[in-house]
C-alpha cells in the first residue's frame, strides 16, 4: 500500500459524497459501457466487502444493507437433512395414509397411479419448485414474498395465513383423536375388541347400538366422540377430547416456540418414525392370511375408469394437497435456506418421496384390509353355513350339498361358493327367501372407506385380530400422531413466519398467542357435534381458497413478475438455468390446468348441495343430512373469509388508500420487485435505492462512511464536469490502490 494511501482514501471518500442530483447528472455524460457496469456499495469498514447493483435492472432484495442485516440475523437450518425432513414431514401427512388408498381403491386400483404420476409431474413438481424458489430467493414468509412480487397482490400471503389457521384448527383435533386412541391402546384386550354388555336384574345383553353396527364403530362414535345426532345439537364439551386437544396444542407450541431451532430437531423423529412403522406394518401384514388378496385387488387395474374426467380431477386435487401447496409452509421453510441451495433438486426429491410414501401406505392399508376381508368373509361363511344346516331336510334336500363338504368341520370359502352356486341354480325363485349372503372377499374389499373411517374403524378392527394387538395399536396411533405433527409444524410455520417477518414481533409470544387462540376456538370441534364441524371445515375452508391462492401465485410469478426475469433470478441463485420445461409449465400449462380444476370443483359443489354424514343412534348407521340455513352461511363464510384478503389488499393499494410504496403497519415497505424502507418520490426512486435512505430522511443522504465506486478494467477515466470524481470515475494517478481501500 503506498505511504500516503490513508490520506488519499480520506480525500477520495470526501470526493464521492456528492448529492443525488450531481450523481444522476453525471450519468448522462458517461459512455454506454458505464451504464452496463456494476456498482459496489462498500460498507465503509475497510474489509473490502460490498454489494453489487446493476444499473440496468432492478435492485435485488439482498443488495440492500438493512435487509442484509436481517438476512444475517435470520435463522437457518442446521443441516440440509433437517430441512429435507421438515419439507417431507409437512408434505407427508394423514392424507397419504387414509386419503390416497381410498382414491386408489375407488378409481381403478393400480390404474389410478398413472394419472396421479402424470399430474404430479405436470402440476405438482413445477408448483412445488416455484414455491421453494420464491421463498429461498426472497427470504421472507408468504406475506413478504407476494408483497415483493407485487404489492397489489400482497393479499395472497394473508389469504395463505387465514387458510393455514382454518386448517390448523381442525387438523390438531385429529391429532387429539389419535392421542386418545394411543392412550387407550395399552390394554389387553383392546377396549374396542368386542361390544360392551349391559346387565339388568334378570339378563345380560349386548348394547343394541353396538350389535347393529360393530364393536369398533360403536367405540368410535359412542365411546370416543359420544357423537350427537346432528350438527344443530351441540351436546356440550367432550371432556376427554378436550384434554387431548389441549395436549396436542401444547406439543405443537413447545415444538414451535423457538422456530426452526426447536421444530427442526423434532423433525428427526416426527418425519422418520412413520416410515419405520409403515415398514413394520407391511412386513407383519404380508405374513397374515389374506394380505395377498388385498394387494392383488389394489394392483388389478380397471383401465376403463381412467377415461373418466372425475378420476383425473380427483388425482389433481390429491397431488395439490399432498404437497401442501398454497399453505405458505413450503415458502416459510425454504426461506431459511442459503441462497445457493439447489431447490430444484429438493423439489423433485420431496415430491417423489411423497409419492412413494403414498404407495407404501397404500400397500400397507390394502394388505391389512385383505386380512380383514378374509376374517369377515370367514365369519360370513360360518354364519350362513349354520343357516343351511338348519334348512336341510325341510326346505333344502341333502342331495343338493356336494358330498365332500363336511359341516362338522370348518367350511372353506371355496366350498361355500360352490354350494351357494348350486343352490342358486336349483332354487332360483326361492333362493332370496333363504337369506344367504354371498360372502365374497372382493365385495368386502370394494367397500370404500376413507378418512377417519379407515383409521379409527377399519384399521382398528383389523388390528384386533393381530397377535399382540396392543403393541400394533400403540405403534399405529403413534405414527398418526407423528404424521399429524409433521404437517402441523409446516402449517403453523406458514402462519408464524410471515407475521414475524412483516410485523417484527417476538416469535415466542406470537407462537404462544396463536396456539392459545386456536385451542379456544378449537373447543368448537370437541363438542359432541364436533365431528360434523371437522367435516365442514375440511370440505369448505381449504379446497376452493387454496386453489385460488395457488392460481394467483402462479400468475403473479409467471405474468406479473415475468417468467423470463424469474428464470434469470433462478440462474443467478442456482448457478444454472432450469429446464425450459418449467418455463412453459409456469406460463401456460399449469395455470390452465388449475383453472380447469377450479371450475370443475365449483361445478361439483354446485351440483351437490352441502351435506354431512350424521350418525343416528337409534338406527346405528350414518345418514346424509343437509346443513341447516346457519350451517350453509358458515360454509360460505369460510370460503369468503379465506379469500377476502386478496381483493381487499388489491383495492386498498390500487386506489392508493394504502400507498404501494409505503408500509403503514408493517416495518417493511415494498415496491414491485424490491424491498424499500421508506416512501419514495418517483423522481428520487433510483437515488433512494443507491443511498439506502432511512425512513425519516427527506433529503438525499450523503452516506457517511460508505464509498461508491465502479469496477473498471482499464482506460483513462474522464473527469466530471464539476471537477470532482463521481460514480464511475477513478483517479488516473492511483492505479495501484487496492479495492479494499476504496
Amino acid at each position: 500500500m503506498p505511504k500516503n494511501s490513508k490520506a488519499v482514501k480520506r480525500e477520495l471518500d470526501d470526493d464521492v459524497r456528492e448529492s443525488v442530483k450531481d450523481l444522476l447528472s453525471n450519468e448522462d455524460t458517461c459512455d454506454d459501457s458505464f451504464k452496463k457496469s456494476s456498482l459496489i456499495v462498500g460498507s465503509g469498514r475497510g474489509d473490502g466487502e460490498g454489494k453489487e447493483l446493476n444499473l440496468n435492472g432492478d435492485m435485488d432484495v439482498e443488495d440492500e444493507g438493512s435487509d442484509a442485516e436481517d438476512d444475517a440475523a435470520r435463522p437457518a437450518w442446521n443441516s440440509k437433512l433437517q430441512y429435507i425432513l421438515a419439507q417431507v414431514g409437512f408434505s407427508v401427512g394423514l392424507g397419504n395414509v387414509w386419503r390416497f388408498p381410498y382414491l386408489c381403491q375407488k378409481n381403478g386400483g393400480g390404474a389410478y397411479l398413472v394419472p396421479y404420476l402424470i399430474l404430479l409431474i405436470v402440476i405438482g413438481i413445477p408448483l412445488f419448485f416455484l414455491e421453494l424458489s420464491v421463498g429461498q430467493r426472497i427470504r421472507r414468509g408468504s406475506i413478504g414474498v407476494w408483497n415483493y412480487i407485487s404489492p397489489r397482490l400482497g393479499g395472497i400471503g394473508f389469504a395463505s395465513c387465514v387458510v393455514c389457521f382454518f386448517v390448523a384448527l381442525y387438523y390438531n383435533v385429529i391429532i387429539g383423536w389419535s392421542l386418545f386412541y394411543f392412550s387407550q391402546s395399552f390394554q389387553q384386550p383392546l377396549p374396542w375388541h368386542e361390544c360392551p354388555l349391559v346387565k339388568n336384574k334378570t339378563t345380560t345383553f349386548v348394547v343394541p347400538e353396538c350389535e347393529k353396527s360393530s364393536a369398533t364403530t360403536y367405540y368410535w362414535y359412542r365411546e370416543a366422540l359420544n357423537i350427537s345426532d346432528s350438527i344443530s345439537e351441540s351436546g356440550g364439551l367432550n371432556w376427554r377430547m378436550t384434554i387431548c386437544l389441549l395436549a396436542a396444542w401444547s406439543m405443537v407450541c413447545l415444538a414451535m416456540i423457538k422456530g426452526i431451532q426447536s421444530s427442526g430437531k423434532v423433525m428427526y423423529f416426527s418425519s422418520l418414525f412413520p416410515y419405520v412403522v409403515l415398514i413394520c406394518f407391511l412386513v407383519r401384514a404380508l405374513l397374515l392370511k389374506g394380505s395377498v388378496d388385498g394387494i392383488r385387488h389394489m394392483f388389478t387395474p380397471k383401465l376403463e375408469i381412467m377415461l373418466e374426467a372425475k378420476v383425473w380431477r380427483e388425482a389433481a386435487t390429491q397431488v395439490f394437497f399432498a404437497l401442501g401447496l398454497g399453505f405458505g409452509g413450503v415458502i416459510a421453510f425454504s426461506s431459511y435456506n442459503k441462497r445457493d441451495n439447489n431447490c430444484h433438486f429438493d423439489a423433485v426429491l420431496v415430491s417423489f418421496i411423497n409419492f412413494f410414501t403414498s404407495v407404501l401406505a397404500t400397500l400397507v392399508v390394502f394388505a391389512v384390509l385383505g386380512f380383514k376381508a378374509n376374517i369377515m368373509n370367514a365369519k360370513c361363511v360360518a354364519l350362513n353355513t349354520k343357516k343351511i344346516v338348519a334348512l336341510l331336510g325341510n326346505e333344502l334336500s341333502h342331495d343338493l350339498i356336494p358330498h365332500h363338504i363336511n359341516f362338522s368341520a370348518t367350511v372353506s370359502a371355496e366350498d361355500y361358493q360352490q354350494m351357494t352356486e348350486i343352490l342358486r341354480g336349483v332354487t332360483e325363485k326361492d333362493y332370496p327367501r333363504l337369506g344367504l349372503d354371498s360372502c365374497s372377499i372382493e365385495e368386502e374389499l370394494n367397500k370404500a372407506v376413507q378418512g377417519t373411517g379407515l383409521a379409527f374403524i377399519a384399521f382398528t378392527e383389523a388390528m384386533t385380530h393381530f397377535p399382540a394387538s396392543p403393541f400394533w395399536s400403540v405403534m399405529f396411533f403413534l405414527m398418526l400422531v407423528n404424521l399429524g405433527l409433521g404437517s402441523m409444524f409446516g402449517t403453523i410455520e406458514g402462519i408464524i413466519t410471515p407475521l414475524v417477518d412483516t410485523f417484527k414481533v417476538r416469535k415466542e409470544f406470537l407462537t404462544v398467542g396463536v396456539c392459545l387462540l386456536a385451542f379456544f376456538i378449537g373447543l368448537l370441534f370437541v363438542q359432541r357435534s364436533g365431528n360434523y364441524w371437522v367435516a365442514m371445515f375440511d370440505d369448505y375452508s381449504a379446497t376452493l381458497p387454496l386453489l385460488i391462492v395457488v392460481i394467483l401465485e402462479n400468475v403473479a410469478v409467471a405474468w406479473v413478475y415475468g417468467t423470463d426475469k424469474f428464470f434469470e433470478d433462478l440462474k443467478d441463485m442456482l448457478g444454472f438455468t432450469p429446464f425450459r420445461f418449467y418455463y412453459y409449465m409456469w406460463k401456460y400449462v399449469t395455470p390452465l390446468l388449475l383453472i380447469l380444476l377450479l371450475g370443475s370443483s365449483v361445478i361439483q359443489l354446485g351440483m351437490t348441495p352441502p351435506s354431512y354424514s350424521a350418525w343416528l343412534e337409534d338406527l346405528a348407521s350414518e345418514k346424509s343430512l343437509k346443513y341447516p340455513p346457519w350451517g350453509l352461511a358458515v360454509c360460505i363464510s369460510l370460503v369468503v373469509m379465506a379469500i377476502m384478503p386478496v381483493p381487499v389488499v388489491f383495492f386498498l393499494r390500487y386506489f392508493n388508500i394504502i400507498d404501494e410504496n409505503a408500509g403503514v403497519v408493517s416495518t417493511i415497505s415494498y415496491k414491485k420487485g424490491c424491498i424499500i424502507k421508506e416512501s419514495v418520490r418517483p423522481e428520487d426512486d433510483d437515488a433512494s435505492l443507491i443511498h439506502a435512505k432511512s425512513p425519516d430522511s427527506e433529503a438525499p443522504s450523503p452516506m457517511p462512511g460508505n464509498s461508491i465506486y465502479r469496477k473498471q478494467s482499464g482506460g483513462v477515466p474522464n473527469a466530471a464536469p464539476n471537477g470532482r470524481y463521481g460514480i464511475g470515475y477513478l483517479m488516473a494517478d492511483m492505479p495501484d490502490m487496492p479495492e479494499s481501500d476504496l
Side-chain angles (χ1 to χ4, degrees), residues 591-617:
L592 178 61
L593 291 177
L594 287 174
I595 291 171
L596 289 175
L597 179 59
L598 176 63
S600 63
S601 299
V602 171
I603 292 172
Q604 184 199 21
L605 287 175
M607 294 176 63
T608 55
S611 62
Y612 64 101
S613 293
W615 177 260
L616 303 181
E617 184 177 359

Side-chain angles (χ1 to χ4, degrees), residues 1-17 706-709 725 729-742:
M1 180 176 181
K3 185 168 61 176
N4 62 345
S5 61
K6 292 184 179 179
V8 173
K9 179 181 183 297
R10 284 195 298 269
E11 182 182 349
L12 182 60
D13 284 343
D14 292 336
D15 286 340
V16 298
R17 290 173 190 166
N706 286 359
S707 57
I708 304 177
Y709 69 95
Y725 291 88
Y729 298 92
L730 297 178
M731 296 182 68
D733 59 346
M734 298 180 61
D736 57 340
M737 177 174 288
E739 289 186 351
S740 61
D741 291 327
L742 294 179

Side-chain angles (χ1 to χ4, degrees), residues 242-275:
T242 303
I243 294 174
C244 291
L245 180 64
L246 178 61
W249 275 115
S250 300
M251 293 167 64
V252 171
C253 184
L254 291 174
M256 298 295 299
I257 197 165
K258 291 293 184 181
I260 63 171
Q261 278 82 6
S262 55
S263 65
K265 295 179 176 63
V266 180
M267 290 295 179
Y268 285 110
F269 181 77
S270 65
S271 297
L272 294 176
F273 180 73
Y275 290 96

Side-chain angles (χ1 to χ4, degrees), residues 200-443:
N200 57 19
K201 294 181 179 179
T202 56
T203 60
T204 300
F205 58 93
V206 177
V207 176
E209 185 182 3
C210 185
E211 189 175 22
K212 292 177 183 177
S213 53
S214 67
T216 50
T217 305
Y218 173 81
Y219 189 86
W220 167 241
Y221 284 117
R222 191 55 49 209
E223 297 292 339
L225 300 180
N226 192 20
I227 199 166
S228 60
D229 287 345
S230 71
I231 194 172
S232 301
E233 181 187 340
S234 68
L237 290 178
N238 182 334
W239 67 269
R240 291 189 293 184
M241 287 304 173
T242 303
I243 294 174
C244 291
L245 180 64
L246 178 61
W249 275 115
S250 300
M251 293 167 64
V252 171
C253 184
L254 291 174
M256 298 295 299
I257 197 165
K258 291 293 184 181
I260 63 171
Q261 278 82 6
S262 55
S263 65
K265 295 179 176 63
V266 180
M267 290 295 179
Y268 285 110
F269 181 77
S270 65
S271 297
L272 294 176
F273 180 73
Y275 290 96
V276 176
V277 176
L278 284 174
I279 292 172
C280 291
F281 259 98
L282 181 61
V283 173
R284 184 68 190 91
L286 290 175
L287 299 176
L288 296 172
K289 180 184 177 182
S291 60
V292 178
D293 294 330
I295 294 175
R296 186 188 303 117
H297 179 80
M298 169 191 168
F299 281 108
T300 302
K302 301 178 182 66
L303 298 177
E304 65 280 2
I305 297 182
M306 284 181 59
L307 301 177
E308 298 178 11
K310 181 182 177 183
V311 175
W312 289 84
R313 180 179 59 80
E314 292 188 346
T317 305
Q318 178 62 16
V319 166
F320 181 79
F321 286 106
L323 295 175
L325 301 172
F327 285 94
V330 173
I331 294 175
F333 280 151
S334 64
S335 72
Y336 298 113
N337 270 334
K338 296 179 180 179
R339 292 192 193 278
D340 59 351
N341 174 62
N342 189 348
C343 55
H344 175 255
F345 172 80
D346 300 342
V348 176
L349 177 65
V350 174
S351 298
F352 278 101
I353 287 176
N354 188 292
F355 172 70
F356 288 119
T357 304
S358 298
V359 174
L360 174 63
T362 305
L363 282 172
V364 173
V365 167
F366 273 88
V368 172
L369 291 182
F371 165 70
K372 174 180 173 285
N374 274 267
I375 295 291
M376 301 305 294
N377 190 62
K379 288 183 177 180
C380 178
V381 169
L383 181 64
N384 283 273
T385 300
K386 290 181 181 179
K387 292 181 181 179
I388 292 174
V389 171
L391 293 172
L392 286 176
N394 296 321
E395 298 187 31
L396 294 177
S397 170
H398 287 275
D399 297 334
L400 297 177
I401 307 301
H403 297 292
H404 68 278
I405 295 179
N406 183 11
F407 287 116
S408 60
T410 302
V411 177
S412 66
E414 292 77 11
D415 289 342
Y416 177 77
Q417 291 295 332
Q418 182 183 357
M419 184 168 52
T420 52
E421 286 176 6
I422 294 173
L423 293 177
R424 187 180 289 107
V426 174
T427 60
E428 184 175 353
K429 294 181 180 180
D430 296 332
Y431 183 80
R433 188 169 52 84
L434 300 178
L436 301 178
D437 297 322
S438 59
C439 298
S440 169
I441 293 177
E442 286 298 316
E443 289 182 8

Side-chain angles (χ1 to χ4, degrees), residues 553-682:
E553 287 182 356
N554 197 166
V555 171
V557 172
W559 292 95
V560 178
Y561 188 76
T563 313
D564 294 308
K565 186 177 179 182
F566 190 57
F567 255 64
E568 288 299 318
D569 291 343
L570 290 177
K571 182 179 179 181
D572 177 62
M573 183 173 67
L574 302 177
F576 63 89
T577 304
F579 298 114
R580 201 67 179 172
F581 164 80
Y582 293 106
Y583 181 93
Y584 297 108
M585 290 296 108
W586 288 333
K587 196 158 189 177
Y588 304 110
V589 179
T590 306
L592 178 61
L593 291 177
L594 287 174
I595 291 171
L596 289 175
L597 179 59
L598 176 63
S600 63
S601 299
V602 171
I603 292 172
Q604 184 199 21
L605 287 175
M607 294 176 63
T608 55
S611 62
Y612 64 101
S613 293
W615 177 260
L616 303 181
E617 184 177 359
D618 295 337
L619 301 177
S621 63
E622 288 184 332
K623 183 179 180 180
S624 181
L625 299 179
K626 293 183 179 180
Y627 284 109
W630 62 265
L632 288 175
V634 173
C635 293
I636 296 171
S637 299
L638 289 174
V639 177
V640 172
M641 282 191 292
I643 295 302
M644 186 58 66
V646 176
V648 167
V649 172
F650 183 87
F651 175 83
L652 292 176
R653 284 182 166 160
Y654 182 81
F655 292 101
N656 291 324
I657 299 174
I658 296 179
D659 189 359
E660 288 188 15
N661 300 333
V664 177
V665 180
S666 173
T667 59
I668 301 176
S669 304
Y670 298 87
K671 70 185 289 292
K672 182 178 176 181
C674 67
I675 297 176
I676 60 176
K677 286 291 180 181
E678 61 165 350
S679 300
V680 295
R681 294 170 300 181

Side-chain angles (χ1 to χ4, degrees), residues 156-167:
I156 297 175
F158 288 99
S160 292
C161 289
V162 173
V163 173
C164 279
F165 187 72
F166 284 161
V167 171

